[in-house]
Amino acid sequence: MSVHLPRGTREVGWTPAAISDFLDKTLLTVQKPARYTGGEWNSVVKDWDTTTQRIALAFPDIYDLGMSNLGMAILYDLVNKRPDMLAERVYAPWIDMEQEMRNAGAPLFSLETRHPLRDFDIIGFSLPYEQLYTNVLNMLDLAGLPLRATDRTAAHPLIIAGGSGCYNPEPMHAFFDAFVIGEGEEVIFEVIEAYAAWKTRGRDRADLWRSLARIRGVYVPHLYQVCYADDGTIAGFEAVDDSAALQIIKRIMPVMPPPVTDFIVPFADVVHNRAAIEIQRGCTRGCRFCQAGMIFRPVRERPMAEVLTAVDQIIESTGFEEIGLLSLSSSDYSQVAELVEEIMTRHGDKKLSVGLPSLRIESFSVDLMETLQKGRRRSGFTFAPEAATDRLRDVINKPIATEDLLRTADEVFSRGWTTIKLYFMIGHPTQTMEDVDAIADLAHQVMKIGRRHIGGRAKVRVGVSTLVPKPHTPFQWVPVEDEETLNQQIRRLQQRIRGRGFEFSWNSPEETMLEAMLTRGDRKLADVVERAWQSGAKFDGWHDQGSFDAWKTALEELDIDPDWYARRERSIDEYLPWEHISTGVSKEFLTQEYLNSLKGGVVDDCREHCFSCGILGLFKTMRRNVPDDAWGCPALGRDKERQPVDIQPVPLYFNEEMSPELANHHGPRVPQRAGLHHESPPRRGDQ
């Protein structure tokens, strides 16, 4: 087993000047040296000695990916606007640079001033997804910092994390001092202020943890303990300090803050070489598999005038030729047609490219793309129906009729596009092999339409991923499909989606299992993450780098069964590892939606009807202090024509009075709660 221990002495002797000397000798020997130089247009370099609060913003993947992370760009912009604070960036070095750093004993450093990471007051990691966990450990190790929070002293930086990957923080609880749950634009400054006050007191690290725990939306895992039942499920979760709240409610911004306009212009190509404006936050569609649609509620729109001003400023300050208008469902932005038309009127002569991801499958979306593509070469158009039959789309609450999809495909090919990309999932609840075959059938129907319009130039690319039931969604109780069934379904699609013009891609069941285990795991998985990293796991999201063997080794050595986390069906009343984290969407609502899914019940868009998910009630005080049109879901008591409907009480576990088909879709009805203890979950082979 290889252990990534620091070589040389990273703790002392490495000044910014010494790191610059190291780079001078090293950059020509590694791929893409611009990943490590800094100095880009619009990057901010402040006087280190006169700035009192120093924050490193860390993205646990390479520069090429991290530079496109909008959340990190927002925090960088906000912190650097404060005269007493500085924010600098750090990304995971690629394999070749890491080896050079380890050989020389060089520490991980920031791009702006090349200070070692350990010199900063706070290191804030962005965690958008679980496959980055081992990269976090690798970066901490390269920085010469203790991996576990309990091993750090008052002399070490505060290590925090935020992002979508933190809505179940338990598998990474051991490595961070605290997690920011929700939106970070306000809370980041509260964290910085709490840290500064703690430094003046000169107290121990536990005192810092207590201060952070008093901030709304900040979770300090070391102030809690978990209690397990005999069957390995969680029996309870309790605070061990008076400063720790029993439930951590996410932070939201009641009104979207001003957009970033002075984007850093990278020297190297990055995955999205563009500026981005978030035109809307949240989604009202209610897709039952979609975690983002649940955790980013409520919907808030940016005013059209603010978007247009930002576009003008971005073009002036960056020279970017592409701007992405970001949203979970761009077609739902209330003024999207007018916005697109006005942008093209103002900047169409500059050949500005505007991206609108996440468009709905409808003629309106094709009209929007037609406006944006005037005078440009037309290539691909993307649809994400997620399921290929009307029945299964009802289950996942994405009710797009097949005939509407085919009609839209006809419009796309008839207007000159050559490629349609179709994204689906396998592993949905109630899915059958007939539903899988329908994916291939639909792909061939779309190809037939394309060939009718443009002949042999028509291309259909089909991407299939496997459902990973995410925390805080109606599917959070659902097991991941077993590996044998997934392989059968993939082989069936490989056989049927082939031939001229077709491309078929999929993710492996091993990748699915790893993601599911981590996203559904509890505190016991922290040891697994650390052991997997020690065995060589890193860049787990990269197909050519991820080492599933390292994870297998860790699981076997620690005698942990991954299927217990990934493929175990959970009863409604089970205390889930993320139960103490509140997105504002109630468990009762998620339960009702899960039951609706098994019946194939479709619920309306939240803009049309309020289903009392819990958001409006939880944030009602905040809601009163914003303009009436600032939130995109109906306000309780203000929607006179469509009165909100309260959810009817539902049982929190299945019982014999329920229909057999629903009961059979669930596993154990009521887990035993006797014999509480603080031990590990069931091991391999335990039942």
Side-chain angles (χ1 to χ4, degrees), residues 256-324:
M256 294 181 68
V260 178
T261 56
D262 294 329
F263 282 92
I264 297 172
V265 182
F267 287 145
D269 280 337
V270 296
V271 65
H272 293 304
N273 202 353
R274 67 185 185 194
I277 303 172
E278 190 181 18
I279 62 173
Q280 179 177 275
R281 189 171 291 183
C283 181
T284 58
R285 291 289 161 182
C287 298
R288 291 170 180 138
F289 59 84
C290 181
Q291 187 186 55
M294 298 294 162
I295 66 177
F296 291 129
R297 295 181 181 207
V299 167
R300 289 141 290 165
E301 285 195 356
R302 189 179 302 284
M304 178 174 155
E306 190 172 275
V307 178
L308 292 170
T309 299
V311 171
D312 296 342
Q313 293 174 349
I314 287 170
I315 292 173
E316 179 70 23
S317 68
T318 69
F320 274 121
E321 296 177 343
E322 180 179 352
I323 293 179

Side-chain angles (χ1 to χ4, degrees), residues 296-489:
F296 291 129
R297 295 181 181 207
V299 167
R300 289 141 290 165
E301 285 195 356
R302 189 179 302 284
M304 178 174 155
E306 190 172 275
V307 178
L308 292 170
T309 299
V311 171
D312 296 342
Q313 293 174 349
I314 287 170
I315 292 173
E316 179 70 23
S317 68
T318 69
F320 274 121
E321 296 177 343
E322 180 179 352
I323 293 179
L325 304 179
L326 305 188
S327 169
L328 292 176
S329 182
S330 301
S331 304
D332 290 335
Y333 181 76
S334 62
Q335 294 179 284
V336 66
E338 297 93 328
L339 175 62
V340 167
E341 189 66 40
E342 182 62 24
I343 290 175
M344 299 315 295
T345 298
R346 293 188 185 192
H347 303 291
D349 60 332
K350 304 182 184 72
K351 300 299 181 184
L352 178 70
S353 177
V354 178
L356 272 176
S358 304
L359 291 172
R360 293 171 58 198
I361 301 172
E362 58 185 4
S363 299
F364 178 58
S365 298
V366 185
D367 293 337
L368 287 176
M369 292 301 293
E370 180 87 2
T371 302
L372 293 174
Q373 296 296 320
K374 283 180 180 176
R376 296 173 177 81
R377 183 177 64 86
R378 297 175 180 183
S379 53
F381 202 104
T382 301
F383 295 157
E386 310 297 355
T389 62
D390 293 342
R391 181 199 69 81
L392 196 55
R393 286 193 290 268
D394 287 350
V395 169
I396 66 176
N397 203 47
K398 196 164 185 177
I400 306 160
T402 297
E403 61 184 40
D404 291 338
L405 190 152
L406 294 175
R407 187 181 305 115
T408 307
D410 186 84
E411 291 198 41
V412 169
F413 281 125
S414 69
R415 300 190 197 196
W417 272 275
T418 60
T419 303
I420 286 182
K421 304 173 187 176
L422 298 168
Y423 290 115
F424 298 95
M425 286 184 186
I426 54 177
H428 288 304
T430 79
Q431 185 177 50
T432 65
M433 190 60 83
E434 287 74 20
D435 294 306
V436 175
D437 282 331
I439 295 174
D441 294 337
L442 187 56
H444 282 279
Q445 288 176 279
V446 171
M447 176 63 81
K448 184 177 179 180
I449 293 170
R451 286 176 177 162
R452 186 172 72 243
H453 286 288
I454 58 174
R457 292 188 298 135
K459 295 181 177 64
V460 176
R461 297 174 180 169
V462 179
V464 171
S465 61
T466 303
L467 172 69
V468 174
K470 290 289 186 176
H472 309 289
T473 70
F475 287 167
Q476 64 183 352
W477 296 281
V478 175
V480 172
E481 187 64 85
D482 67 88
E483 187 170 342
E484 181 180 354
T485 299
L486 292 175
N487 282 325
Q488 288 174 352
Q489 294 175 352

Side-chain angles (χ1 to χ4, degrees), residues 513-514 516-518 525 548 551-552 555-556 559-568 570 682 684:
M513 193 282 296
L514 176 59
M517 176 185 72
L518 293 175
L525 288 188
F548 190 71
W551 286 96
K552 285 180 63 177
L555 290 163
E556 289 169 358
D559 197 25
I560 296 289
D561 181 2
D563 284 350
W564 194 83
Y565 292 105
R567 296 192 168 100
R568 178 176 61 86
R570 307 184 186 206
R684 287 179 177 273

